[in-house]
């Protein structure tokens, strides 16, 4: 698309950037009814800002799924920690919740911290986007933070960029970000043995052409071909750059918030919250494109 056409599309959006290096709020839209031009503008803004927030939405599950499909085909949600599907008949839907019904959690991740991660990077072709919609949120706590992994990559020292240029990292499939063991997995604490998928440490985003550091999650990660101690040291060094990154935007949820993140160039984490409060969010995940070997 040429620059004037792009600018004209983006002009139609009421957008407020967070000022934190990623993240923007889109104001005054009803996602159930946006037309193709408005969706295209939103999509462009999403590629630019990596994470979009749209507040005050009323989306039932079918509407959340229908809107999510505008980004592409959906992936099925991972199975719940209890081994169950979250919502019978809606396999695309992932539920994040601490709420218990009949002695069982209705969703995943509990009420504790969820550590930095990208969604489902332990599979060969991870989703390109996740859409998370808030139904019930506690008055305080449970904020979700996002980090810009293009910026983290750009800020690495040149020597480190050269060192990781052709390395691959295994993204662990044992634990989810809440620290719970995934359904059907026998946990192993040896990162070399743990199940997972190998991905290039430096990922070239297929739509923007920009390079991002692609770490997934820290626990049980392993850099293919290195001695374990060497892999641990290099991973710690890379994660230090994430922890020191200034490119973090934190979102405090209200019911009706939809947050859409680019899962290829961001990671996210969640703060803990009071177990006695209720937090329910519904998520979809959009299929990614096959990554270059
Ligand atoms: C997710 C996730 C964190 C949160 O839905 O992928 O990590 O804020 N959620 O609950
Ligand atoms: Mn997640």
């Amino acid at each position: 698309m040429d620059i004037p056409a792009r600018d004209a599309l983006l002009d139609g959006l009421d957008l407020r950037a967070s000022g934190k290096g990623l993240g923007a709020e889109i104001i005054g839209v009803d996602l159930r009814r946006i037309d193709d031009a408005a969706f295209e503008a939103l999509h462009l803004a999403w590629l630019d800002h990596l994470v979009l927030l749209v507040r005050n939405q009323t989306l039932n599950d079918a509407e959340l799924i229908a809107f999510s499909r505008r980004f592409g085909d959906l992936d099925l949600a991972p199975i719940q920690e209890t081994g169950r599907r979250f919502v019978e008949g809606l396999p695309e839907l992932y539920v994040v919740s601490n709420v218990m019904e009949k002695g069982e959690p209705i969703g995943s991740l509990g009420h504790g911290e969820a550590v930095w991660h990208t969604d489902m990077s332990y599979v060969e072709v991870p989703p390109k986007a996740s859409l998370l919609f808030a139904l019930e949120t506690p008055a305080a706590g449970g904020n979700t933070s996002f980090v810009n992994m293009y910026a983290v990559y750009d800020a690495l020292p040149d020597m480190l960029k050269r060192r990781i240029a052709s390395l691959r990292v295994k993204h662990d499939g044992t634990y989810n970000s809440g620290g719970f063991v995934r359904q059907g997995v026998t946990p192993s604490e040896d990162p070399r043995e743990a199940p997972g998928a190998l991905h290039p440490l430096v990922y070239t985003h297929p739509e923007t052409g920009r390079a991002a550091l692609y770490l997934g999650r820290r626990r049980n990660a392993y850099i293919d071909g290195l001695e374990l101690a060497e892999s641990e040291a290099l991973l710690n060094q890379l994660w230090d750059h994430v922890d020191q990154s200034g490119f973090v935007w934190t979102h405090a949820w209200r019911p009706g918030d939809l947050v859409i993140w680019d899962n290829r160039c961001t990671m996210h984490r969640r703060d803990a919250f009071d177990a006695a409060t209720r937090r329910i969010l519904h998520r979809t995940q959009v299929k990614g494109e096959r990554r270059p070997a």
Side-chain angles (χ1 to χ4, degrees):
M1 187 182 314
D2 59 24
I3 308 260
R6 201 187 128 84
D7 287 353
L9 265 178
L10 286 170
D11 270 352
L13 274 189
D14 187 358
L15 179 146
R16 268 163 237 179
S18 74
K20 304 287 187 189
L22 79 166
E25 182 176 355
I26 305 288
I27 297 161
V29 294
D30 180 344
L31 295 176
R32 293 172 305 179
R33 330 186 187 284
I34 64 168
D35 63 18
D36 287 347
F39 180 77
E40 204 180 334
L42 182 142
H43 188 262
L44 285 173
W46 177 68
L47 291 176
D48 287 350
H49 295 274
L50 290 55
V51 187
L52 293 183
L53 162 66
V54 193
R55 298 202 110 138
N56 305 315
Q57 300 301 298
T58 48
L59 297 169
N60 62 30
D61 289 336
E63 289 163 340
L64 173 62
I65 288 171
F67 175 69
S68 302
R69 286 212 171 104
R70 297 182 80 163
F71 286 84
D73 291 340
L74 302 187
D75 267 326
L76 300 189
I79 297 290
Q80 209 176 338
E81 290 140 7
T82 56
R84 286 246 221 28
R85 272 229 181 275
F86 295 100
V87 180
E88 240 11 276
L90 293 177
E92 300 91 349
L93 212 68
Y94 180 77
V95 177
V96 177
S97 188
N98 64 318
V99 172
M100 307 282 283
E101 272 171 19
K102 300 188 196 109
E104 295 225 5
I106 63 167
S108 278
L109 303 183
H111 66 273
E113 178 189 355
V115 296
W116 283 121
H117 67 282
T118 32
D119 292 330
M120 294 169 67
S121 60
Y122 50 89
V123 301
E124 291 302 325
V125 185
K128 66 177 181 184
S130 300
L131 295 91
L132 187 60
F133 182 63
L135 300 168
E136 291 187 47
T137 56
N143 294 347
T144 308
S145 299
F146 297 87
V147 59
N148 180 336
M149 296 303 284
Y150 295 131
V152 171
Y153 176 77
D154 289 343
L156 293 178
D158 285 340
M159 274 217 338
L160 198 49
K161 282 185 184 156
R162 277 197 293 276
R163 172 137 195 244
I164 64 174
S166 56
L167 292 177
R168 293 190 304 167
V169 59
K170 183 163 66 174
H171 290 225
D172 178 52
T174 313
Y175 298 97
N176 71 18
S177 55
F180 300 93
V181 175
R182 289 184 191 287
Q183 186 54 27
V185 175
T186 312
S188 157
E189 293 307 322
D190 185 337
R192 293 165 300 190
E193 305 302 324
L198 281 174
H199 299 292
L201 258 175
V202 182
Y203 176 63
T204 304
H205 193 292
E207 294 182 87
T208 65
R210 297 184 61 192
L213 185 63
Y214 192 61
L215 291 175
R217 29 174 74 71
R218 177 63 186 90
R219 191 169 184 180
N220 270 356
Y222 172 62
I223 300 182
D224 192 36
L226 299 193
E227 293 294 331
L228 185 54
E230 214 187 335
S231 164
E232 291 289 312
L234 181 51
L235 286 168
N236 288 342
Q237 199 183 353
L238 292 170
W239 278 92
D240 283 346
H241 285 273
V242 174
D243 293 334
Q244 289 154 20
S245 167
F247 307 104
V248 175
W249 170 63
T250 299
H251 175 54
W253 293 92
R254 298 199 302 240
D257 287 352
L258 180 72
V259 173
I260 310 164
W261 61 87
D262 192 326
N263 205 40
R264 300 162 289 192
C265 54
T266 65
M267 296 196 296
H268 53 282
R269 61 171 295 282
R270 180 192 73 193
D271 297 332
F273 57 98
D274 181 352
T277 60
R278 289 166 64 90
R279 189 174 185 276
I280 307 177
L281 303 98
H282 285 187
R283 189 189 85 187
T284 57
Q285 43 287 311
V286 184
K287 261 193 210 313
E289 48 293 286
R290 187 155 278 285
R291 299 187 170 220

